[in-house]
Amino acid sequence: MRDILSNEHNVQGIERIGSVAGGALMITKGLRKGGFLGLVQIAMGGFAVARGVRGQCAAKTWFQEHRSEYLRLREGIEHDAAELTRLKASADAATRGVTVTGKDPL
């Protein structure tokens, strides 16, 4: 498993530029706003700028590493949903034309 804090660049190109520009904008807006919410906005902007400058995002690394597990689980759920659809169709076909009277046979 790769180290989440490795020096590998996983943020590149437009995404990297957008992180720096968006983070700088958030810092500016946070400074103007002031107070607790402004401080939160400054911190978020700082994280975005750092992400863009370093070219590395720990959250993105984590999601990339766990994507194959997500895809495997999704495939299993889709397979099970298709099986349930087939079972329902089979049950509908088996009970078609059957009338329930509510009386037990003797």
Side-chain angles (χ1 to χ4, degrees):
M1 182 175 179
R2 288 184 301 201
D3 181 12
I4 289 179
L5 298 177
S6 71
N7 290 330
E8 181 179 322
H9 291 259
N10 64 352
V11 180
Q12 299 173 358
I14 294 290
E15 184 180 5
R16 195 168 181 179
I17 293 167
S19 286
V20 172
L25 181 64
M26 287 179 71
I27 290 170
T28 303
K29 289 180 77 173
L31 289 170
R32 286 185 190 155
K33 181 176 245 170
F36 178 73
L37 292 177
L39 184 61
V40 170
Q41 205 164 15
I42 291 168
M44 298 282 291
F47 283 120
V49 168
R51 176 184 190 264
V53 169
R54 285 188 11 230
Q56 206 281 330
C57 178
K60 188 172 181 178
T61 298
W62 186 88
F63 282 114
Q64 287 172 335
E65 288 177 354
H66 293 85
R67 182 169 173 76
S68 63
E69 182 179 352
Y70 161 77
L71 293 174
R72 182 186 57 78
L73 290 171
R74 180 179 174 180
E75 183 179 313
I77 290 169
E78 289 173 349
H79 176 268
D80 292 345
E83 181 65 20
L84 284 173
T85 301
R86 286 191 294 275
L87 287 171
K88 183 181 182 309
S90 177
D92 288 344
T95 58
R96 197 172 293 125
V98 175
T99 304
V100 178
T101 61
K103 296 180 183 177
D104 290 333
L106 295 177

